[in-house]
Amino acid sequence: MISEKESYEEIVTGSIYNETTIADQIHTKWAGKTVHFAREIDSTNLWIKRLAKEGAPEGTLALAEFQSAGRGRLGRSWEVPEGTSVMMSILLRPKFEPQYAPTLTLVMGMAVAKAVKSLGFDVSIKWPNDVVVSHKKICGILTEMGVRDGKIDYAVIGVGINVNIKEFPEEMVDKATSLYLESGKEFDRSQIPGLVMEAFEKYYEKFAATCDLSGLKEEYESILANYNQPVRVLAKEPYEGVARGITDGGELLVEKTDGTIVAVSAGEVSVRGLYSYV
């Protein structure tokens, strides 16, 4: 018997998107080996936090078709049309110190970029973690953690990928895009979590071995959209310069007009290209 969920998916995309079809395409050692799926949830990050407190293992992946309380960076609300995106969160239980956790956002950005590239797209990253196609954002990432006795109890990385979205609100048209808009074809969403998890598992293990991006820096810079490009740093006193890559800690190196180089932390300021979203 075809469930309401499966029937809906076949009408919309010609493919079924559920716990089974997603899990069948994840071939990793630990990242995404346990999959939870909901038609509707408050947010996958909140769901993973609850699962973490119940003792869920590292690598647990939660996905939802619709989020009633989805959030983006700086606490902005975030919603997308049902049946169009991949919205997921992974549970991590790092052994490293809390100060290294924010860099996980860059690690996941690289994983999403690799997954999107494998689907045939020319992809880049707008520092620190916006995955970009055709100078427009195709993915949002939000990293959070719980700390106990000064140690990381759990970390959660939430990911939202624009897959089969056919149009955006007018105010987002010049900033956001989707795999559908860039290719003119719909994608089977079930394959995408597995592609991301495979890349993330490898990148995460490299990062965790050193607690920095020294083993990933070269690859990250090779797809950095801001690299050697003019940028405006939106600090308390904004300034302009040229992006010269990243540090091992993930800060953006910006060469100011006077020749000095500043390491910019993602948690402190925003960076915008002078001539486009990137």
Side-chain angles (χ1 to χ4, degrees), residues 175-189:
K175 299 179 180 67
T177 190
S178 68
L179 300 184
Y180 173 84
L181 289 173
E182 294 301 320
S183 66
K185 66 176 184 178
E186 293 186 347
F187 286 79
D188 175 7
R189 291 179 295 147

Side-chain angles (χ1 to χ4, degrees), residues 76-135:
R76 299 185 183 100
S77 62
W78 188 71
E79 288 187 12
V80 294
E82 189 173 347
T84 62
S85 302
V86 168
M87 294 177 286
M88 61 184 181
S89 298
I90 184 172
L91 169 63
L92 303 172
R93 295 193 181 276
K95 300 293 189 287
F96 47 77
E97 296 300 311
Q99 66 262 32
Y100 301 116
T103 314
L104 291 172
T105 306
L106 281 74
V107 177
M108 181 59 81
M110 290 182 66
V112 175
K114 186 167 186 177
V116 171
K117 183 178 181 180
S118 74
L119 294 172
F121 293 89
D122 185 11
V123 65
S124 59
I125 291 180
K126 172 187 170 294
W127 182 86
N129 61 274
D130 283 357
V131 181
V132 172
V133 177
S134 297
H135 300 283

Side-chain angles (χ1 to χ4, degrees), residues 122-179:
D122 185 11
V123 65
S124 59
I125 291 180
K126 172 187 170 294
W127 182 86
N129 61 274
D130 283 357
V131 181
V132 172
V133 177
S134 297
H135 300 283
K136 297 180 181 180
K137 183 175 178 178
I138 205 161
C139 170
I141 299 171
L142 178 64
T143 299
E144 301 177 292
M145 67 174 168
V147 178
R148 179 182 298 173
D149 299 326
K151 302 290 185 180
I152 299 176
D153 185 25
Y154 61 84
V156 180
I157 310 178
V159 179
I161 305 172
N162 302 334
V163 183
N164 294 325
I165 297 177
K166 295 180 170 57
E167 61 180 359
F168 286 93
E170 185 176 347
E171 67 273 14
M172 294 178 62
V173 168
D174 63 339
K175 299 179 180 67
T177 190
S178 68
L179 300 184

